Amino acid sequence: MRVAMIGGGMIAHDQLLPSLYQLQRLGRLGEIEVCDQKRESLEALAEAPVLLRAFPGQKFMPRLEPYEEVIASLPPRQLVVTAIPDHLHCEAILCALRHDQHVLTVKPLVLKLEHARLIEREARDRGLLVGVEYHKRFDDRSLLARRRYQEGFFGEFRLGTACLLEKWYYRHSNFQNWFSCEATDAFTYIGCHYVDLVAFITGLRPVEVSVYGIRDRFPNGVEGWLWTDARVIWSNGACLNVQNAIGFPDAAPGTNTQGLTMYCSTAERGAWIRHDDQYRGIQYSYVKNPGGAGSTLYAEPSTDYFQYVDLGGPGLVPVGYGYRSVAYIAERALELEGLGLEERRAKLAEWDRGGVMATPANSSYNEAVIEAARLSIAEGGRPIAVSEA
Ligand SMILES: NC(=O)c1ccc[n+]([C@@H]2O[C@H](COP(=O)([O-])OP(=O)(O)OC[C@H]3O[C@@H](n4cnc5c(N)ncnc54)[C@H](O)[C@@H]3O)[C@@H](O)[C@H]2O)c1
């Protein structure tokens, strides 16, 4: 199976391309093309020291042409990976589906429920996979909490609090070219991870959202909602507070700060889930800065999300839920190879029902939340009902 990745920016470098390279190394995937509208992005990705060190001899084919041309040049039912800014996902995914391609997309799938529906229909009609890469689902702690919750060990979710704040230096990256108030906000960009996770663990659905945002400026003067505080009400009346920002100090350890606490109960007893998703128990103080964006002398790396380990070579092997999540979706696309339309549809429906992989059919509550959130933030945090997803 060939792969065409659209967008060769940060997430492509940090997680997607190394995961795809590893699957290529294992013989699961074939040729990889990366399409980006900027030559510098493709050059930076091709020359990235960690990728050269981890995958000696492996290369992607750089494509500067419009993605429509790159997608059109693929034989049917290969894998298109979309890794471009949020507001461009919809068109690119529809373009891939209309050229009969399976899709792995970074979250959020799209920004409007109507667009998620359109994608869902197009994919179902053609028997194509659309996997939304909510990688936190593949963190074993999420899968364990989900299993325990479903087995009744926590009773019912009541109140929760979650946060994910990216570091300040993001403001100096390409984000300033697309993260404007009109396009997105901190909650839409990263808050969706925890909304998705609470739905994933509990099976509850969000029904109302209110997002208070603070406008702040990028170095190039573009204004973005860089600090947000959201309140999400759930189908059983539970309430989740989510704080997001691009503003966690660069000097602080870790690549961000993040975590989730859920207070739950039965009629007789309280229950509690707490995940420190930033501090995974590793503390390093280096004698020299390892380099790369945001590196600090004191560090708290996470081997849970994405790291490279030396298993004797050649190169290095990516480990963590960032890799497992990409591998899971790619393996599902591979499972569809050689099947007829009805067989593919049956498998896709089974995965929609299983709910482990986020798909347009089983996770469009995320789009409904985003849509309500975008209205709410523009109106100073007015509570907005979430459409039935
Ligand atoms: N935790 C996560 O799941 C996670 C983390 C980071 C990013 N993301 C998502 O990944 C996407 C990309 O984010 P990023 O951080 O890599 O951004 P980025 O700005 O670093 O990279 C985006 C790349 O897309 C390219 N691009 C833009 N428009 C294009 C077009 N029409 N055709 C081809 N290339 C185009 C840009 O030139 C750039 O190289 C966003 O949707 C973001 O929300 C998800």
Side-chain angles (χ1 to χ4, degrees):
M1 180 172 279
R2 282 169 59 181
V3 181
M5 179 158 62
I6 317 300
M10 187 185 70
I11 194 72
H13 170 272
D14 290 357
Q15 184 198 341
L16 299 175
L17 185 58
S19 299
L20 296 169
Y21 271 158
Q22 177 62 16
L23 291 163
Q24 187 183 50
R25 172 188 273 161
L26 295 173
R28 304 300 293 150
L29 295 175
E31 186 184 320
I32 299 170
E33 295 168 73
V34 181
C35 163
D36 201 290
Q37 63 186 10
K38 284 201 192 133
R39 185 182 296 278
E40 313 88 79
S41 293
L42 292 172
E43 284 172 359
L45 200 57
E47 290 158 15
V50 72
L51 296 177
L52 294 174
R53 162 90 175 86
F55 303 99
Q58 285 179 256
K59 281 191 173 63
F60 65 83
M61 171 118 59
R63 304 285 300 262
L64 254 179
E65 306 93 301
Y67 67 70
E68 292 84 350
E69 288 178 25
V70 174
I71 291 172
S73 68
L74 292 169
R77 291 191 291 285
Q78 310 302 301
L79 183 64
V80 169
V81 176
T82 48
I84 46 181
D86 300 357
H87 61 289
L88 303 176
H89 292 180
C90 184
E91 259 183 60
I93 293 169
L94 283 173
C95 172
L97 294 174
R98 287 171 182 158
H99 284 90
D100 268 317
Q101 302 302 326
H102 298 300
V103 174
L104 179 160
T105 181
V106 292
K107 60 80 222 162
L109 172 67
V110 284
L111 301 174
K112 285 196 184 315
L113 183 58
E114 181 197 336
H115 294 160
R117 289 273 172 269
L118 201 62
I119 289 171
E120 181 188 342
R121 271 199 305 277
E122 194 73 38
R124 189 184 307 116
D125 288 352
R126 295 168 180 270
L128 295 169
L129 171 86
V130 177
V132 192
E133 205 272 316
Y134 278 104
H135 43 248
K136 283 188 183 299
R137 291 180 172 214
F138 291 86
D139 190 341
D140 286 341
R141 59 181 57 189
S142 308
L143 289 160
L144 181 61
R146 181 174 187 253
R147 199 191 102 204
R148 290 285 195 213
Y149 191 97
Q150 288 176 356
E151 289 167 349
F153 283 96
F154 296 112
E156 204 179 332
F157 172 48
R158 300 287 180 189
L159 285 183
T161 171
C163 73
L164 206 175
L165 287 84
E166 300 287 8
K167 282 196 156 174
W168 187 275
Y169 74 83
Y170 274 41
R171 296 179 181 215
H172 295 276
S173 74
N174 189 43
F175 273 54
Q176 50 191 325
N177 298 321
W178 63 274
F179 204 101
S180 62
C181 288
E182 296 68 43
T184 187
D185 57 80
F187 174 74
T188 295
Y189 174 58
I190 35 179
C192 59
H193 273 300
Y194 281 108
V195 174
D196 182 68
L197 212 50
V198 168
F200 181 66
I201 292 170
T202 64
L204 297 168
R205 291 294 172 258
V207 296
E208 185 189 279
V209 61
S210 144
V211 186
Y212 174 71
I214 302 173
R215 290 169 177 265
D216 209 348
R217 284 196 191 277
F218 283 98
N220 68 355
V222 166
E223 226 182 6
W225 298 110
L226 300 190
W227 311 85
T228 56
D229 184 287
R231 178 174 155 144
V232 181
I233 309 297
W234 296 77
S235 42
N236 67 339
C239 176
L240 175 76
N241 165 258
V242 191
Q243 293 192 326
N244 300 108
I246 295 182
F248 192 57
D250 288 349
T255 49
N256 51 35
T257 187
Q258 51 178 321
L260 170 68
T261 302
M262 296 168 66
Y263 301 95
C264 308
S265 72
T266 60
E268 297 79 34
R269 188 176 287 223
W272 178 51
I273 298 172
R274 196 176 83 81
H275 292 174
D276 182 342
D277 289 338
Q278 189 268 309
Y279 180 58
R280 305 285 181 135
I282 301 175
Q283 296 178 297
Y284 287 169
S285 193
Y286 301 120
V287 293
K288 56 180 184 179
N289 191 309
S295 288
T296 45
L297 274 182
Y298 172 74
E300 293 173 356
S302 162
T303 44
D304 294 359
Y305 167 52
F306 197 97
Q307 288 293 342
Y308 296 95
V309 295
D310 185 349
L311 292 180
L316 304 172
V317 176
V319 293
Y321 62 83
Y323 167 69
R324 291 197 299 275
S325 159
V326 173
Y328 187 94
I329 297 173
E331 287 295 344
R332 299 291 78 71
L334 286 162
E335 231 180 283
L336 298 173
E337 274 190 324
L339 301 185
L341 180 60
E342 286 313 318
E343 289 170 305
R344 293 203 304 276
R345 281 187 181 151
K347 278 231 176 269
L348 291 164
E350 182 190 319
W351 298 334
D352 287 341
R353 280 193 303 276
V356 172
M357 175 173 56
T359 67
N362 71 20
S363 74
S364 59
Y365 52 83
N366 286 310
E367 279 64 51
V369 166
I370 286 173
E371 204 172 328
R374 297 293 299 156
L375 286 177
S376 176
I377 199 167
E379 295 185 30
R382 186 163 73 82
I384 306 278
V386 173
S387 312
E388 286 272 316

